[in-house]
Amino acid sequence: MKRTIVSILITIILTSCIERKNKEIPVEEPAKILKSLLSFLEYNRDHLRLSEDFEALDTGSVRISKENFLRLLSSGNYLPLRLISDDTARYQLYKLGPLTPTDIRTTIQEMAKNYYRHYKMEGQKLPAFNFIDLKGNVYNKENTKGKILVLNFWFISCQACREEMPALNKLVKSYENRKDILFVSLALDSKADLETFLLKTAFNYSVVPDQKVYLTKYFPVSLYPTQVVVNKNGVITKVVNDHTEMIPALYQESVK
């Protein structure tokens, strides 16, 4: 009888260990990811979505906060290792060795700092604003109250900004019946330059010119394009550089 109980306990322990181990299988092995900067950039493109909600683990598989995860990642001493998961996204910190190429370490550090900066913006009120678009429409705290504000920060010579415009136009079209959702783009360029550009390029956001001061002093960003979702209470809920990461965040706000 005792032997049977012991056998059952051993089986439970082994099963738990196997299940835990399976939960921590990375989508790609670190050696493959860190083979070269190109390998890391491909891994980043295919698997990293650090703006989304995720379960964060330290190097010892202990759960930590997303904020602490991003803060540690900003040191440049870790690789964000995405784990295979059926539901919630899961990431674990992987300690970089002394032989890790400097270009990979620096790229991870700068990427993490940007994610951490964005994370710290979320939950804050959008800085005071008074935007006037090319058609003379005014957007301020008073007349946008109770509406979701989707902001796009860009400039004409930014290739990535131009490339995402067709997708953003489709997004605007998909919410055309929602009068409580406003799509506004803040551009660094002058009114004259924007009007010339828009004669040949369709962009369905409301375009606000000459926003260099706002985007350097009041809402400083380091990469363009940048996408921001502001909820109906004027609180920033998502800041990202990739519109594909902004779209699900907007959907979540739109169904509340």
Side-chain angles (χ1 to χ4, degrees), residues 115-233:
Y115 275 116
Y116 188 48
R117 188 182 305 112
H118 288 174
Y119 178 81
K120 298 292 284 184
M121 291 178 179
E122 294 169 6
Q124 304 297 316
K125 286 279 189 178
L126 182 68
F129 60 97
N130 188 58
F131 306 137
I132 303 176
D133 69 17
L134 294 175
K135 296 180 180 179
N137 299 310
V138 177
Y139 303 87
N140 53 43
K141 181 179 179 180
E142 287 70 33
N143 65 18
T144 60
K145 186 176 181 180
K147 296 182 179 181
I148 298 171
L149 195 58
V150 185
L151 300 175
N152 168 243
F153 305 157
W154 68 290
F155 56 96
I156 292 173
S157 59
C158 167
Q159 181 177 345
C161 301
R162 300 194 305 271
E163 288 176 349
E164 72 173 4
M165 286 181 178
L168 295 182
N169 289 340
K170 290 181 180 179
L171 180 65
V172 174
K173 178 69 175 177
S174 68
Y175 285 100
E176 63 180 349
N177 294 323
R178 291 288 301 267
K179 304 305 179 185
D180 60 333
I181 301 178
L182 303 175
F183 294 88
V184 180
S185 74
L186 308 187
L188 302 181
D189 309 278
S190 69
K191 179 179 180 180
D193 288 344
L194 287 166
E195 288 176 336
T196 299
F197 172 77
L198 294 172
L199 287 175
K200 298 181 180 179
T201 305
F203 191 26
N204 296 336
Y205 274 55
S206 298
V207 179
V208 181
D210 297 311
Q211 290 304 299
K212 186 172 293 185
V213 172
Y214 188 82
L215 296 179
T216 53
K217 183 177 181 180
Y218 299 104
F219 202 116
V221 295
S222 56
L223 293 176
Y224 291 86
T226 292
Q227 320 285 339
V228 179
V229 178
V230 182
N231 70 16
K232 294 182 177 181
N233 296 315

Side-chain angles (χ1 to χ4, degrees), residues 66-83:
K66 178 179 178 179
E67 179 176 2
N68 198 25
F69 182 94
L70 293 176
R71 182 181 60 79
L72 290 169
L73 195 61
S74 299
S75 69
N77 295 321
Y78 302 93
L79 168 70
L81 197 59
R82 183 155 191 158
L83 306 176

Side-chain angles (χ1 to χ4, degrees), residues 3-66:
R3 182 174 298 177
T4 301
I5 294 174
V6 171
S7 298
I8 292 173
L9 289 174
I10 291 174
T11 301
I12 292 173
I13 292 172
L14 290 176
T15 300
S16 299
C17 290
I18 291 172
E19 288 177 351
R20 180 61 178 170
K21 186 176 181 180
N22 287 340
K23 287 182 180 180
E24 296 172 4
I25 297 175
V27 295
E28 284 190 23
E29 290 299 322
K32 180 180 179 182
I33 299 169
L34 300 172
K35 184 177 181 181
S36 67
L37 179 59
L38 178 59
S39 298
F40 172 75
L41 292 176
E42 290 175 344
Y43 166 72
N44 178 46
R45 178 197 65 200
D46 296 337
H47 300 295
L48 294 188
R49 301 291 183 272
L50 295 178
S51 66
E52 65 186 352
D53 293 330
F54 60 84
E55 179 183 341
L57 305 175
D58 66 11
T59 56
S61 298
V62 176
R63 190 166 183 173
I64 58 177
S65 68
K66 178 179 178 179

